[in-house]
Amino acid sequence: MNHFDEKGNAVMVDVSGKESTSRTAIAKGSIFVNNDVMQAVTRGTVAKGDVLGVARIAGIMGAKQTPHLIPMCHPLMIQKCSVDFEIDEKRNVITAYCTVKTQGQTGVEMEALTGVHITLLTIYDMCKAMDKTMEMGEIHLVEKTGGKSGDFMY
């Protein structure tokens, strides 16, 4: 399967003949902040409001918008999407995890990765007045289940 036809034109992969299976993807990524940002986020004193609450909603919304952002991604009926956080106050790192599930003919890896990116960008947006040097990184697929290619664990 690829994104090109016999003439080399970009096309959406034809998944019509694939079996519908239960599919899950988990992606993660981190944002590295300064001590002031970490304290404000954990204490709930960021001027723009509940950073993690807003970022969670943004990440879920972002996952749902994936086919509008990434060419050739199939619009999917997402059956579950969640965003969770790990806070490491000693290292000033907020790690986001996005889990996406569906029953379908193609996977949800791109949706999980998009959800993580949007989550981290929202944290940056809400805290940039305090620290413009925040860095986002370590973004990757952690786990995938279902589909022809089988399960994957990072």
Side-chain angles (χ1 to χ4, degrees):
M1 290 197 193
N2 62 53
H3 291 284
F4 300 100
D5 66 13
E6 61 281 347
K7 296 178 184 173
N9 297 312
V11 296
M12 183 182 279
V13 172
D14 181 359
V15 296
S16 61
K18 291 177 72 178
E19 182 181 346
S20 180
T21 62
S22 178
R23 296 162 184 266
T24 302
I26 302 169
K28 77 182 259 190
S30 298
I31 186 163
F32 303 85
V33 302
N34 67 23
N35 192 57
D36 291 340
V37 170
M38 181 58 74
Q39 294 305 309
V41 168
T42 57
R43 292 179 182 157
T45 59
V46 175
K48 290 188 175 184
D50 176 11
V51 173
L52 299 183
V54 173
R56 175 178 282 116
I57 292 168
I60 292 167
M61 291 175 66
K64 292 167 46 175
Q65 292 300 314
T66 301
H68 300 286
L69 300 169
I70 309 295
M72 310 307 171
C73 278
H74 294 83
L76 301 176
M77 179 61 69
I78 293 174
Q79 295 170 328
K80 177 191 188 244
C81 184
S82 63
V83 173
D84 298 296
F85 299 98
E86 282 183 4
I87 309 293
D88 184 342
E89 292 186 59
K90 290 181 182 171
R91 292 180 46 231
N92 290 332
V93 179
I94 301 169
T95 300
Y97 293 84
C98 183
T99 302
V100 182
K101 292 184 180 183
T102 194
Q103 177 76 28
Q105 295 164 298
T106 190
V108 286
E109 298 95 274
M110 294 307 299
E111 287 74 10
L113 287 162
T114 300
V116 163
H117 277 273
I118 298 301
T119 299
L120 298 176
L121 285 168
T122 301
I123 294 169
Y124 185 95
D125 181 53
M126 293 186 74
C127 299
K128 68 184 181 233
M130 299 173 63
D131 178 16
K132 290 181 181 35
T133 66
M134 292 177 283
E135 292 183 23
M136 293 166 269
E138 302 178 355
I139 299 165
H140 63 276
L141 183 68
V142 174
E143 181 179 333
K144 167 218 135 12
T145 62
K148 183 179 177 181
S149 65
D151 296 350
F152 166 83
M153 287 277 245
Y154 182 78

